[in-house]
Amino acid sequence: MACKRGALIVLEGVDKAGKTTQCNRLVQALQQSGRPAEMMRFPDRTTTIGKLISAYLEKKSDLEDHTVHLLFSANRWELVPLMKKKLEQGITLVVDRYAFSGVAFTSAKPGFCLDWCKQPDVGLPKPDLVMFLQLSPAEAALRGQFGEERYETSVFQRTVQQKFEQLMKDPSVNWQVIDAAQGVDEVHNDITSHSLNAINIAQNLPLGELWK
Ligand code: 2DT
Ligand code: MG
């Protein structure tokens, strides 16, 4: 039999919840326990499409709202062959944001429904586990000011949070809510135990297709 596949693990959450810190800590912990693991992040700002997205987020360019939504999705699809290759090689991928951010952020804009926003990402590799780092707006505010990028305002982030809550009602996705208000080590321990469980289950299952 071919080697057992890696798991696709996604971290989602509003800004300041600690996603990037926790992705790094998780990859390190998995590697130290002898499990091959790599981090990825979306948007991946290094590709040609990613550079268009990055300029938009930095407010160096303006893009029409549907257009930028489709670019975020295209930025995921362009990395699918690489993701599948790594998973087949037995590497667990720890991903900082995925299609759920794509849907939550665009559907927080006026005139966009959840269903339209999901369509371009239908059929992407389905995460074996999506952890939502839950942090109240009040707790997020205690962690300091928002940055200067597009979307980094408390009004917009509140709407994004509501959209994530709608997405989490979908039982076809393996959501786990993590209390991100805990200390960094406690959050890390929660994330690690859910991840080890997901890695064990995923190795005997085929990779699924998202929202299909
Ligand atoms: P970072 O701060 O994590 O680089 O995110 N976003 C992200 C979208 O609007 N659509 C998407 O599909 C994704 C993945 C969330 C940059 C911002 O981009 C938003 C925050
Ligand atoms: Mg950011």
Side-chain angles (χ1 to χ4, degrees):
M1 200 179 112
C3 86
K4 300 193 166 189
R5 76 167 173 95
L8 180 57
I9 296 174
V10 171
L11 268 72
E12 287 281 7
V14 292
D15 273 39
K16 307 218 168 285
K19 290 182 296 300
T20 308
T21 305
Q22 293 295 340
C23 282
N24 282 315
R25 293 264 319 245
L26 176 60
V27 168
Q28 218 182 357
L30 292 174
Q31 287 175 349
Q32 278 168 5
S33 71
R35 294 173 180 86
E38 291 181 20
M39 180 168 163
M40 293 182 73
R41 64 178 315 137
F42 291 110
D44 179 334
R45 302 188 192 213
T46 65
T47 69
T48 303
I49 293 168
K51 284 174 188 151
L52 294 172
I53 294 170
S54 191
Y56 172 80
L57 290 170
E58 292 169 14
K59 302 178 189 162
K60 290 178 180 157
S61 70
D62 286 319
L63 288 169
E64 192 275 331
D65 289 327
H66 299 79
T67 308
V68 75
H69 182 74
L70 296 171
L71 287 176
F72 274 110
S73 178
N75 183 232
R76 285 182 279 280
W77 281 107
E78 67 178 334
L79 284 153
V80 166
L82 180 67
M83 293 171 73
K84 286 188 168 168
K85 192 176 111 193
K86 298 218 181 241
L87 291 169
E88 278 162 20
Q89 288 171 345
I91 300 168
T92 285
L93 297 177
V94 174
V95 187
D96 187 350
R97 297 190 190 277
Y98 199 52
F100 314 99
S101 275
V103 174
F105 278 75
T106 300
S107 67
K109 297 177 177 181
F112 285 86
C113 69
L114 226 53
D115 194 51
W116 187 89
C117 292
K118 284 163 81 170
Q119 293 316 308
D121 287 312
V122 169
L124 277 178
K126 182 177 174 170
D128 298 292
L129 169 66
V130 187
M131 288 176 281
F132 185 77
L133 273 60
Q134 179 85 58
L135 193 71
S136 72
E139 285 156 339
L142 291 175
R143 299 187 175 183
Q145 298 287 303
F146 284 114
E148 296 292 309
E149 287 206 328
R150 212 180 281 266
Y151 304 146
E152 295 184 329
T153 67
S154 57
V155 174
F156 194 75
Q157 296 281 325
R158 265 168 221 258
T159 313
V160 170
Q161 164 80 30
Q162 289 162 5
K163 299 299 175 180
F164 273 124
E165 277 161 20
Q166 274 176 268
L167 286 172
M168 281 190 270
K169 289 183 186 148
D170 175 1
S172 79
V173 173
N174 179 18
W175 287 99
Q176 294 291 339
V177 178
I178 306 289
D179 176 9
Q182 304 175 93
V184 182
D185 291 336
E186 284 76 30
V187 176
H188 172 66
N189 290 341
D190 280 2
I191 286 176
T192 305
S193 67
H194 285 298
S195 299
L196 292 175
N197 190 36
I199 289 168
N200 281 333
I201 294 171
Q203 56 188 1
N204 300 309
L205 289 176
L207 184 63
E209 291 178 309
L210 182 63
W211 294 326
K212 230 174 160 175

